[in-house]
Amino acid sequence: MTVVENQEVAECGCFLNAWLWFNKFVKKLMFKVVDNAKSAKKLGQEDPRRIVHSLKVGFTITLVSLFYYFEPKFHYEGFGVSAMWAVLTVIVVFEFTVGATLGRAINRGIATFLGASLAGGVHRLACFSGSKTLEPILLGIFLFSIAAIVSYLRFLPKLKARYDYGVLIFILTFSLVSVSGYHDKQVLEIAHTRLSTILIGCAAALVVCIFICPVWAGEELHNKISSNLEKLGSFLEVFGTEYLNTAHGADSEQKGSDLQGYKSVLNSKSSEEVLANFAKWEPRHGKFRYRHPWAQYLEIGGTARDCAYRIHALNAYLNYETQIEQEIRTRIQEPCMKVSTECGHVLKALSLAMKTMTYPLTIMVHIDNAKLAAENLKTLLHTNSSWEDINFSAVIPLATVASLLIDIVSYTIKMVESFDQLATLARFKKTNRFAPVRIRTGSWKRKRVMPEPSTENVHHHTIAAE
Amino acid sequence: MTVVENQEVAECGCFLNAWLWFNKFVKKLMFKVVDNAKSAKKLGQEDPRRIVHSLKVGFTITLVSLFYYFEPKFHYEGFGVSAMWAVLTVIVVFEFTVGATLGRAINRGIATFLGASLAGGVHRLACFSGSKTLEPILLGIFLFSIAAIVSYLRFLPKLKARYDYGVLIFILTFSLVSVSGYHDKQVLEIAHTRLSTILIGCAAALVVCIFICPVWAGEELHNKISSNLEKLGSFLEVFGTEYLNTAHGADSEQKGSDLQGYKSVLNSKSSEEVLANFAKWEPRHGKFRYRHPWAQYLEIGGTARDCAYRIHALNAYLNYETQIEQEIRTRIQEPCMKVSTECGHVLKALSLAMKTMTYPLTIMVHIDNAKLAAENLKTLLHTNSSWEDINFSAVIPLATVASLLIDIVSYTIKMVESFDQLATLARFKKTNRFAPVRIRTGSWKRKRVMPEPSTENVHHHTIAAE
């Protein structure tokens, strides 16, 4: 081979390499695009309201923009500052749920009014000084101190939860208005324009958000808590049949989704709190009054989470290959199954009752059954004669499962009590004689043999970085 | 008494009532103000960086405002639109940590550029049509479809976590620029002004945020995980001495804070994830390189949370009044104490090593001790002869505690392994021969008698509403 031929081969190799690399890159890119498109499609299939929301946002923005586009009087400055604020307001205020949109709109409206008023006052005060050199110094001092104080107040957890956006807009409006004009008249005009355009933007966003396929945060919270109870109930129902039944291997795969659903309950705290905060802004809608007891939902959610922690511990024993004699199994299986399935029934009944906003129909029977089964389980564990000739180490997992189930009974009863309070506060429909559970569950607690699980509310530990 | 006197008395009563009500109201108001002032003061005492942050925000806003106030060329439209955008950018972009500020600034800058470019293109395309009636229709169609598509994409979890703000600003800029001008020249000018002022605002915020007492999100995450490990370690150390020692009643109050600290770990998931997302934006700083393995921190945090769930279960047994004979106590107390305190030592050593970014010094001894103690505990539980003449029901809580402690040992080892990976990835200083734990802990797991706690990562369940 000559040198030229060699070079040609090398060049061919170069091109081939480049081609291969390019091919790989395109394939990778295509794969990524297809992957993202698939997950985007899935998002829409999971919750079609997301598609409706996007269309609503697009519609409102176009509406407000074109209104200002066609209205020539807003173009007096060649830019349409007003149009800008209205469009900006729509984009910033429009959220998925009505509560979030309302919260932002009200925050934005009131904060703009307060900020503009204060800025007007401060501007007038600075003008009183008369001298042209003193005025900016005074303005600067006011601006610095108010911005610093308000920024600091944003760290207050109470303020942060519901009014953070308002506080931000307050600083914003105050800074903009107080700095932007030299003359009193101008400041007033700016403040007035800003306030009116923001109100137009908020109104447009709210009307579309509330009257076209609204998504209510309160309803979301209601459904979320209800579905959490159902998930826990499903686990317990399936656990009752699956545990100690290693023969049911095929079934367990089928029921996998029922069994793993509870895991989303473990970390549901923050989303529940956010929804409850949004829900507080919402007016009366559907089955929910204004001032519906949203805090009570958080209480039920907290107990459900405590229950989910125990279920998480139970879950470890689910696929546990036992070397236990058939005898112990059958002896302990029956009460364990009973406790688990009855608690599952109770939670599912609660979930259904919450969905329909009625008092649950058949709940007392299941509570009584669960309590009875738990008592049986305790008696069984207490009777020394039952365990005399048995390998101690083989019984420990069973005893742990039993004690976890006994804990779960007490959490279930706590949830029923919280539900009862909710039903009273929210005036659920009474379709039957549902005696106040509070009284009837009192005696149960005192009789417990296992230590009371710590029921202190761990949900109030705020974390600095949150 | 005459009628007049009667009336006077009634009037007096009225005044008295009004006065009392007013007095009560003022007192209530004062109480609320004092209460809020106290909690505001506490916020500052807890973390003085909050005060510094507020001063930084005030300073930057004043700086940018006054710059525009004194620069007359920006007042050509009588309003100072440019000044407005710069001040607005500072207020909206400035966050507590550098990572959050950088993330918002980069998102805002790039999104503004992209949005303005696209709007310019769309405007030119609409202008091509030539007719004055077709132009707004075309613009409207573009605006609607782009706003709807981008609003929909905001639901994608990947996009939401890091680029949500950017996507919002993209729609914003696109709408503003595409609608605000009639002529090509004007659109370009608007786009240019908007981009340059936003860049000035971002630059001012970033310079102040980074160079004056910066708060790094990465360091926050690092310290948070480290302090979480310490909290778990403290609990285990104290649990070792407290459990079964009801005589130590006085001590337990003293150690209350050590024992309840772990509860903040249970719900730490969301704040850890937020911090990790912020940290990814941060440049090299202090001990942390760019692309520091932040994801590894989340893994350690996840295992720490799993461990905290078990500790939450243990906590229920802490103040449990036992009716157990002194004999069983002493027999089971020693290995339980050993496991608990050794695990506590390991976690505290890990926490300290993380703080100093070194390999832990004395950790292997404690791991070996914990494993040995756990083996002892297992052997004890397996030996039937140890429990022959004992009340079975009294042993169950002990057995449960023991099994929870054995679980905790395995989680501790998992944390050590994750820590080892982190130390390798982040190149911690090697101050001693710290053999790779991965190899040495392998045999332990296979020997376990209690079922493996489900170690599936429950932290990837995203919740629709989050």
Side-chain angles (χ1 to χ4, degrees):
Chain A
M1 256 200 290
T2 62
V3 176
V4 178
E5 272 174 339
N6 245 340
Q7 215 171 343
E8 270 176 7
V9 169
E11 266 176 19
C12 268
C14 246
F15 275 120
L16 198 71
N17 273 341
W19 172 247
L20 283 175
W21 178 87
F22 179 74
N23 221 355
K24 208 173 154 187
F25 174 77
V26 168
K27 267 185 192 162
K28 214 171 164 182
L29 197 76
M30 284 298 288
F31 177 76
K32 217 164 188 178
V33 168
V34 169
D35 192 49
N36 275 327
K38 265 184 196 162
S39 54
K41 195 182 159 197
K42 210 177 135 200
L43 275 178
Q45 281 169 337
E46 270 174 16
D47 193 348
R49 294 175 307 172
R50 287 173 181 155
I51 300 170
V52 177
H53 168 75
S54 312
L55 297 178
K56 275 158 72 183
V57 174
F59 171 70
T60 319
I61 293 173
T62 315
L63 195 78
V64 174
S65 300
L66 291 188
F67 171 70
Y68 278 98
Y69 190 89
F70 281 118
E71 204 65 19
K73 70 167 173 164
F74 292 108
H75 287 279
Y76 57 94
E77 275 168 354
F79 193 174
V81 174
S82 325
M84 221 170 60
W85 284 118
V87 174
L88 194 145
T89 302
V90 169
I91 296 172
V92 169
V93 156
F94 212 119
E95 295 269 337
F96 186 57
T97 58
V98 174
T101 311
L102 252 172
R104 281 180 93 89
I106 292 171
N107 263 311
R108 193 176 173 94
I110 291 175
T112 303
F113 176 73
L114 290 179
S117 310
L118 189 64
V122 163
H123 191 84
R124 177 153 285 201
L125 215 69
C127 285
F128 266 133
S129 70
S131 98
K132 269 278 161 225
T133 48
L134 204 61
E135 199 186 308
I137 295 174
L138 277 178
L139 270 183
I141 291 171
F142 278 124
L143 189 59
F144 174 78
S145 38
I146 289 176
I149 289 170
V150 175
S151 298
Y152 183 68
L153 291 180
R154 284 181 75 194
F155 285 110
L156 279 173
K158 272 189 223 164
L159 215 69
K160 199 170 182 62
R162 293 194 70 189
Y163 306 109
D164 193 47
Y165 185 65
V167 173
L168 187 78
I169 295 296
F170 175 80
I171 318 180
L172 201 67
T173 308
F174 177 77
S175 317
L176 294 189
V177 175
S178 71
V179 171
S180 54
Y182 275 116
H183 309 294
D184 255 20
K185 208 183 135 200
Q186 215 177 15
V187 169
L188 267 183
E189 199 188 299
I190 292 161
H192 177 251
T193 313
R194 192 172 145 76
L195 192 60
S196 64
T197 46
I198 280 179
L199 289 182
I200 289 174
C202 285
L206 280 179
V207 166
V208 173
C209 189
I210 294 179
F211 293 105
I212 304 178
C213 310
V215 177
W216 301 97
E219 209 172 325
E220 290 287 291
L221 178 64
H222 182 89
N223 293 340
K224 195 177 159 64
I225 299 285
S226 163
S227 99
N228 279 356
L229 293 184
E230 199 184 340
K231 281 173 190 166
L232 300 186
S234 294
F235 179 95
L236 290 174
E237 277 188 354
V238 177
F239 186 83
T241 54
E242 288 295 298
Y243 180 63
L244 299 183
N245 269 352
T246 39
H248 283 228
D251 260 33
S252 74
E253 268 175 43
Q254 256 185 322
K255 290 177 180 170
S257 66
D258 279 349
L259 284 166
Q260 302 306 309
Y262 80 89
K263 285 189 178 172
S264 67
V265 184
L266 290 173
N267 287 308
S268 59
K269 183 179 179 262
S270 59
S271 63
E272 281 170 17
E273 279 175 358
V274 166
L275 281 177
N277 270 330
F278 289 159
K280 283 177 193 159
W281 291 108
E282 290 176 349
R284 185 191 190 99
H285 60 276
K287 303 166 284 183
F288 307 99
R289 288 170 303 128
Y290 179 64
R291 291 184 178 278
H292 191 77
W294 301 117
Q296 196 63 30
Y297 284 94
L298 293 185
E299 204 181 304
I300 299 179
T303 315
R305 211 158 27 250
D306 273 334
C307 188
Y309 294 150
R310 306 287 148 156
I311 286 182
H312 191 48
L314 267 188
N315 189 42
Y317 294 91
L318 194 70
N319 298 314
Y320 176 42
E321 283 289 327
T322 41
Q323 288 96 35
I324 306 167
E325 302 93 89
Q326 196 59 37
E327 195 216 333
I328 320 178
R329 272 201 196 182
T330 44
R331 209 190 295 168
I332 205 161
Q333 193 172 14
E334 208 259 331
C336 270
M337 272 174 68
K338 193 82 186 161
V339 168
S340 194
T341 46
E342 292 294 343
C343 279
H345 290 330
V346 170
L347 290 180
K348 278 201 159 178
L350 276 191
S351 166
L352 188 72
M354 194 177 265
K355 250 179 216 141
T356 54
M357 295 186 84
T358 51
Y359 281 78
L361 266 172
T362 51
I363 202 164
M364 286 316 296
V365 184
H366 293 304
I367 293 175
D368 288 340
N369 284 349
K371 279 197 269 183
L372 195 71
E375 290 293 342
N376 283 347
L377 208 52
K378 277 185 215 164
T379 318
L380 189 77
L381 293 177
H382 285 198
T383 320
N384 277 342
S385 59
S386 346
W387 312 101
E388 259 163 11
D389 50 345
I390 275 162
N391 181 7
F392 188 75
S393 69
V395 181
I396 293 171
L398 294 178
T400 311
V401 164
S403 81
L404 284 171
L405 283 172
I406 291 169
D407 273 2
I408 285 171
V409 172
S410 82
Y411 280 121
T412 304
I413 288 171
K414 214 177 148 205
M415 267 185 271
V416 173
E417 287 168 358
S418 297
F419 181 89
D420 185 43
Q421 277 174 28
L422 174 70
T424 314
L425 288 169
R427 297 181 211 149
F428 281 11
K429 267 174 270 165
K430 278 186 191 173
T431 51
N432 65 328
R433 290 162 296 131
F434 176 63
V437 189
R438 228 167 297 135
I439 300 156
R440 296 184 57 182
T441 54
S443 59
W444 155 255
K445 282 191 180 168
R446 260 169 266 127
K447 267 197 269 168
R448 294 191 66 224
V449 170
M450 298 301 292
E452 187 74 24
S454 79
T455 51
E456 284 165 59
N457 212 338
V458 294
H459 319 297
H460 293 308
H461 286 254
T462 47
I463 298 148
E466 270 178 353
Chain B
M1 255 198 291
T2 63
V3 176
V4 178
E5 269 175 340
N6 246 338
Q7 214 171 345
E8 268 176 10
V9 167
E11 266 177 22
C12 266
C14 247
F15 276 120
L16 198 72
N17 273 342
W19 171 247
L20 283 175
W21 178 86
F22 179 74
N23 222 357
K24 209 173 156 188
F25 175 76
V26 168
K27 266 186 193 162
K28 213 171 166 183
L29 197 76
M30 284 297 290
F31 179 76
K32 218 164 188 177
V33 168
V34 168
D35 193 48
N36 275 327
K38 265 185 197 163
S39 54
K41 195 182 160 197
K42 208 175 138 202
L43 275 178
Q45 280 169 338
E46 268 174 17
D47 193 348
R49 295 175 306 173
R50 288 173 180 156
I51 299 170
V52 177
H53 168 75
S54 311
L55 296 177
K56 275 158 71 182
V57 174
F59 172 70
T60 319
I61 293 174
T62 315
L63 195 77
V64 174
S65 299
L66 290 188
F67 170 70
Y68 277 97
Y69 191 88
F70 281 119
E71 204 66 18
K73 70 166 173 165
F74 291 108
H75 286 280
Y76 57 92
E77 276 170 351
F79 194 174
V81 173
S82 325
M84 222 170 58
W85 284 117
V87 174
L88 195 145
T89 302
V90 169
I91 295 172
V92 169
V93 155
F94 212 119
E95 294 269 338
F96 187 57
T97 59
V98 175
T101 311
L102 252 172
R104 281 180 93 87
I106 292 171
N107 264 313
R108 192 175 174 95
I110 292 176
T112 303
F113 176 74
L114 291 178
S117 310
L118 189 65
V122 163
H123 191 85
R124 177 153 286 200
L125 213 70
C127 285
F128 265 133
S129 71
S131 99
K132 269 278 161 224
T133 49
L134 204 62
E135 200 186 306
I137 295 173
L138 276 178
L139 269 183
I141 292 171
F142 278 123
L143 190 58
F144 174 77
S145 40
I146 289 177
I149 290 169
V150 174
S151 296
Y152 184 68
L153 290 180
R154 283 181 76 193
F155 286 111
L156 279 173
K158 272 188 223 166
L159 215 70
K160 199 168 181 63
R162 292 193 70 191
Y163 306 108
D164 192 49
Y165 185 65
V167 173
L168 187 78
I169 295 296
F170 175 80
I171 320 180
L172 201 67
T173 309
F174 177 77
S175 317
L176 294 190
V177 175
S178 71
V179 171
S180 56
Y182 274 115
H183 308 294
D184 254 21
K185 210 185 133 199
Q186 214 178 15
V187 169
L188 268 182
E189 199 188 297
I190 292 161
H192 177 251
T193 313
R194 191 172 146 77
L195 192 61
S196 63
T197 46
I198 279 179
L199 288 183
I200 288 175
C202 285
L206 280 179
V207 166
V208 173
C209 189
I210 295 178
F211 293 106
I212 304 178
C213 312
V215 178
W216 301 96
E219 209 172 321
E220 289 286 292
L221 178 64
H222 181 89
N223 293 340
K224 194 176 160 64
I225 300 284
S226 164
S227 97
N228 279 357
L229 293 185
E230 200 184 338
K231 280 172 191 166
L232 301 185
S234 294
F235 180 94
L236 290 173
E237 278 188 355
V238 177
F239 187 82
T241 54
E242 288 295 298
Y243 180 63
L244 301 182
N245 270 350
T246 40
H248 283 228
D251 262 33
S252 75
E253 267 176 42
Q254 256 185 325
K255 289 174 180 173
S257 64
D258 280 349
L259 284 166
Q260 302 307 310
Y262 80 90
K263 286 188 177 171
S264 67
V265 183
L266 290 173
N267 287 308
S268 59
K269 184 181 177 254
S270 59
S271 62
E272 280 170 18
E273 278 175 358
V274 166
L275 281 177
N277 270 330
F278 289 159
K280 282 177 194 160
W281 291 107
E282 289 177 350
R284 185 192 190 99
H285 60 275
K287 305 167 284 183
F288 307 99
R289 287 170 303 128
Y290 179 63
R291 289 181 180 283
H292 191 76
W294 301 117
Q296 195 63 30
Y297 283 94
L298 292 186
E299 205 180 303
I300 299 179
T303 315
R305 208 157 29 250
D306 274 333
C307 190
Y309 293 149
R310 306 287 149 158
I311 286 182
H312 191 47
L314 266 189
N315 189 43
Y317 294 91
L318 194 70
N319 298 315
Y320 176 43
E321 283 290 328
T322 41
Q323 288 96 38
I324 307 168
E325 301 93 87
Q326 195 60 37
E327 195 214 335
I328 322 177
R329 270 202 198 183
T330 44
R331 213 189 294 168
I332 206 160
Q333 192 171 15
E334 209 258 331
C336 270
M337 271 173 69
K338 193 83 185 163
V339 168
S340 193
T341 47
E342 293 294 341
C343 280
H345 289 330
V346 170
L347 289 180
K348 278 203 159 178
L350 277 190
S351 165
L352 189 70
M354 194 176 265
K355 250 179 215 142
T356 53
M357 295 187 84
T358 52
Y359 282 78
L361 265 173
T362 50
I363 202 164
M364 286 316 296
V365 185
H366 293 303
I367 293 175
D368 288 339
N369 284 348
K371 280 197 268 182
L372 195 71
E375 290 294 341
N376 284 347
L377 207 51
K378 279 185 214 166
T379 319
L380 189 75
L381 294 176
H382 285 200
T383 320
N384 277 341
S385 59
S386 345
W387 311 102
E388 260 164 9
D389 51 344
I390 274 162
N391 181 8
F392 188 76
S393 69
V395 181
I396 293 172
L398 294 178
T400 311
V401 165
S403 82
L404 284 170
L405 282 171
I406 292 169
D407 273 4
I408 284 170
V409 171
S410 81
Y411 280 123
T412 304
I413 289 170
K414 215 179 148 204
M415 268 187 267
V416 173
E417 288 169 358
S418 297
F419 181 88
D420 186 41
Q421 278 174 28
L422 174 69
T424 315
L425 289 167
R427 296 182 210 147
F428 281 10
K429 267 175 269 162
K430 278 186 191 173
T431 51
N432 65 329
R433 290 160 299 132
F434 176 63
V437 189
R438 228 167 298 137
I439 299 155
R440 297 185 57 183
T441 53
S443 58
W444 156 256
K445 282 190 179 170
R446 261 170 266 128
K447 269 198 269 169
R448 293 189 67 223
V449 171
M450 296 301 291
E452 187 75 21
S454 79
T455 52
E456 281 166 59
N457 211 339
V458 294
H459 319 296
H460 295 307
H461 286 253
T462 48
I463 298 149
E466 270 178 354

